[in-house]
Amino acid sequence: MATTGNGRQAAGNGIGDAERARDELSDALKAVGVKLPSLSLDAVSCAGTAPRVLIDLGRCNVATAHALAAALRLRGAGPRREAAR
Protein backbone atom coordinates (compact mmCIF):
# COMPACT_ATOMS: atom_id res chain seq x y z
CA MET A 1 0.00 0.00 0.00
CA ALA A 2 1.36 3.41 -0.89
CA THR A 3 2.18 5.88 1.82
CA THR A 4 2.73 9.60 1.84
CA GLY A 5 6.04 11.15 2.82
CA ASN A 6 5.07 11.20 6.50
CA GLY A 7 4.19 7.48 6.59
CA ARG A 8 0.42 7.83 6.35
CA GLN A 9 -1.56 5.70 3.93
CA ALA A 10 -2.41 7.62 0.79
CA ALA A 11 -6.15 8.33 0.86
CA GLY A 12 -6.74 7.28 -2.73
CA ASN A 13 -5.49 3.75 -2.13
CA GLY A 14 -7.90 3.00 0.70
CA ILE A 15 -10.81 4.38 -1.27
CA GLY A 16 -9.77 2.53 -4.42
CA ASP A 17 -9.53 -0.73 -2.48
CA ALA A 18 -12.97 -0.10 -0.99
CA GLU A 19 -14.44 0.65 -4.42
CA ARG A 20 -13.05 -2.62 -5.75
CA ALA A 21 -14.43 -4.52 -2.73
CA ARG A 22 -17.83 -2.87 -3.21
CA ASP A 23 -17.85 -3.84 -6.88
CA GLU A 24 -16.77 -7.39 -6.09
CA LEU A 25 -19.57 -7.70 -3.52
CA SER A 26 -22.09 -6.25 -5.96
CA ASP A 27 -21.04 -8.70 -8.68
CA ALA A 28 -21.20 -11.67 -6.28
CA LEU A 29 -24.66 -10.65 -5.09
CA LYS A 30 -25.91 -10.20 -8.65
CA ALA A 31 -24.60 -13.70 -9.50
CA VAL A 32 -27.03 -15.15 -6.94
CA GLY A 33 -29.90 -12.87 -7.94
CA VAL A 34 -29.59 -10.17 -5.28
CA LYS A 35 -29.18 -6.45 -5.92
CA LEU A 36 -28.67 -4.05 -3.02
CA PRO A 37 -29.81 -0.72 -4.49
CA SER A 38 -27.98 1.41 -1.92
CA LEU A 39 -24.61 -0.39 -1.94
CA SER A 40 -22.00 2.37 -1.72
CA LEU A 41 -19.03 3.74 0.16
CA ASP A 42 -19.79 5.49 3.43
CA ALA A 43 -18.82 9.10 2.70
CA VAL A 44 -17.97 10.01 6.30
CA SER A 45 -15.50 7.12 6.62
CA CYS A 46 -13.69 8.33 3.47
CA ALA A 47 -12.70 11.61 5.15
CA GLY A 48 -9.45 12.35 6.88
CA THR A 49 -5.78 11.87 6.13
CA ALA A 50 -5.84 8.09 6.66
CA PRO A 51 -9.42 7.02 5.94
CA ARG A 52 -10.83 3.74 7.20
CA VAL A 53 -13.38 3.34 4.47
CA LEU A 54 -16.58 1.47 5.23
CA ILE A 55 -18.85 -0.08 2.65
CA ASP A 56 -22.46 0.88 3.31
CA LEU A 57 -24.75 -2.02 2.43
CA GLY A 58 -27.61 0.43 2.51
CA ARG A 59 -31.28 -0.23 2.74
CA CYS A 60 -33.35 -2.79 0.88
CA ASN A 61 -36.96 -3.82 0.65
CA VAL A 62 -38.39 -6.96 2.24
CA ALA A 63 -38.19 -9.01 -0.97
CA THR A 64 -34.48 -8.21 -1.35
CA ALA A 65 -33.84 -9.10 2.30
CA HIS A 66 -35.52 -12.49 1.76
CA ALA A 67 -33.51 -13.06 -1.44
CA LEU A 68 -30.26 -12.20 0.32
CA ALA A 69 -31.06 -14.50 3.25
CA ALA A 70 -31.92 -17.34 0.86
CA ALA A 71 -28.70 -16.85 -1.12
CA LEU A 72 -26.62 -16.86 2.06
CA ARG A 73 -28.37 -19.98 3.38
CA LEU A 74 -27.87 -21.76 0.06
CA ARG A 75 -24.17 -20.91 -0.04
CA GLY A 76 -23.60 -21.54 3.66
CA ALA A 77 -25.50 -24.80 4.01
CA GLY A 78 -23.04 -27.06 2.20
CA PRO A 79 -19.77 -26.25 4.01
CA ARG A 80 -21.42 -26.22 7.46
CA ARG A 81 -22.93 -29.66 6.96
CA GLU A 82 -19.62 -31.07 5.72
CA ALA A 83 -17.71 -29.51 8.60
CA ALA A 84 -20.14 -31.00 11.12
CA ARG A 85 -19.55 -34.58 9.90
Side-chain angles (χ1 to χ4, degrees), residues 5-75:
N6 61 6
R8 292 186 186 145
Q9 178 184 341
N13 291 332
I15 293 170
D17 289 343
E19 289 172 332
R20 285 185 291 280
R22 178 209 51 215
D23 294 345
E24 180 181 353
L25 177 58
S26 179
D27 291 345
L29 288 168
K30 285 178 189 173
V32 295
V34 177
K35 181 179 188 311
L36 295 178
S38 301
L39 188 63
S40 63
L41 300 186
D42 175 64
V44 174
S45 69
C46 293
T49 55
R52 294 184 156 229
V53 184
L54 299 174
I55 298 169
D56 188 349
L57 301 180
R59 298 163 35 164
C60 66
N61 62 29
V62 173
T64 301
H66 285 302
L68 179 56
L72 291 170
R73 276 194 298 274
L74 182 64
R75 290 291 197 173

